[in-house]
Amino acid sequence: MLQNKIPNKDWLVFDDTPSIRDTSNDVALPLSSENELVMQKLIDFVRYSQNPQKNHQQTIRPAVGLAAPQIGDNIKMYYIRIEDTDNETGLKQVIEHAMINPVIIGKSAQLACIEEGEGCLSVDGDKEGFVPRSFRIIISGYDYLKQQQVTITARSYEAIVFQHEQEHLEGKLYYDLINKKNPWLKIPDWIIL
Ligand SMILES: [Zn+2]
């Protein structure tokens, strides 16, 4: 029993499973105990994946986000955890969002990509190429950690992570956005992060 509670690869749904391409359903609030467990699993998985002591053998790849369809529940939930160092103070900060029924309500026309491309726990082996996304987004939804409705403006790397997870709720994967003919084709207007 205990073994099942330790996050492991068996929790994950990969891109060879059709449900990863399904659109997710809205989640009723307040959360049912069943759905609360799904959120808790998302949080546990990502935190565990980033913990160098617990995950020292890297049995799972370190991840900054995980969406419910990736653990087999097609409901609108994801969890994001980004560790960042403040450029001015040098202090480490942690950005966490445990989103329920998130909606992107604004997007910048300015696009940005991560220099080395993206990866995903549901995609074994990275697919190379630029993944163009909005540099800035405004997102609204219920934050499980704050237990309230929130509206967030995210920029740069945080905005990219939000869009990656949000698209899991629409059955989309990051490599859908990579230019098929020339994966590393750089459009001059893009910001490369
Ligand atoms: Zn992903």
Side-chain angles (χ1 to χ4, degrees):
M1 272 306 278
L2 188 65
Q3 196 62 30
N4 293 335
K5 292 187 175 177
I6 298 171
N8 64 80
K9 235 182 150 186
D10 292 343
W11 289 17
L12 297 174
V13 170
F14 291 86
D15 58 349
D16 56 357
T17 301
S19 66
I20 203 81
R21 291 297 190 173
D22 288 345
T23 302
S24 287
N25 296 312
D26 285 329
V27 178
L29 289 167
L31 283 186
S32 64
S33 52
E34 189 188 343
N35 286 342
E36 190 155 12
L37 193 64
V38 175
M39 180 56 93
Q40 205 54 56
K41 280 179 82 173
L42 296 173
I43 294 171
D44 287 352
F45 194 103
V46 173
R47 286 183 180 167
Y48 183 96
S49 82
Q50 293 183 9
N51 186 312
Q53 280 84 39
K54 288 181 176 166
N55 192 27
H56 66 280
Q57 289 178 314
Q58 298 225 339
T59 48
I60 48 180
R61 284 196 284 168
V64 288
L66 188 64
Q70 296 183 271
I71 56 169
D73 291 281
N74 284 89
I75 55 175
K76 289 182 184 169
M77 278 187 186
Y78 53 76
Y79 171 69
I80 289 171
R81 185 179 195 278
I82 301 168
E83 283 190 9
D84 192 22
T85 306
D86 190 298
N87 283 338
E88 283 165 29
T89 62
L91 292 173
K92 199 174 89 168
Q93 56 175 359
V94 176
I95 297 165
E96 281 185 299
H97 304 287
M99 303 302 293
I100 298 170
N101 301 329
V103 181
I104 293 180
I105 56 172
K107 273 183 175 208
S108 66
Q110 173 69 61
L111 299 181
C113 311
I114 299 172
E115 190 172 20
E116 60 269 29
E118 295 184 20
C120 178
L121 287 170
S122 294
V123 181
D124 245 345
D126 290 338
K127 298 256 199 298
E128 295 198 343
F130 286 129
V131 183
R133 302 187 184 277
S134 290
F135 177 75
R136 188 179 64 92
I137 57 156
I138 304 170
I139 196 147
S140 161
Y142 187 86
D143 188 327
Y144 173 75
L145 297 174
K146 295 194 171 93
Q147 295 282 315
Q148 62 180 32
Q149 196 71 24
V150 293
T151 300
I152 301 154
T153 299
R155 289 178 180 77
S156 193
Y157 184 70
E158 185 186 6
I160 301 270
V161 176
F162 258 117
Q163 289 165 89
H164 179 119
E165 300 310 329
Q166 187 77 25
E167 291 196 349
H168 275 300
L169 307 184
E170 299 161 13
K172 296 178 188 163
L173 295 168
Y174 74 93
Y175 55 71
D176 301 345
L177 293 170
I178 296 175
N179 184 309
K180 304 276 179 296
K181 284 189 187 141
N182 189 355
W184 295 110
L185 178 71
K186 187 194 172 301
I187 306 298
D189 285 349
W190 293 349
I191 295 172
I192 307 296
L193 301 169

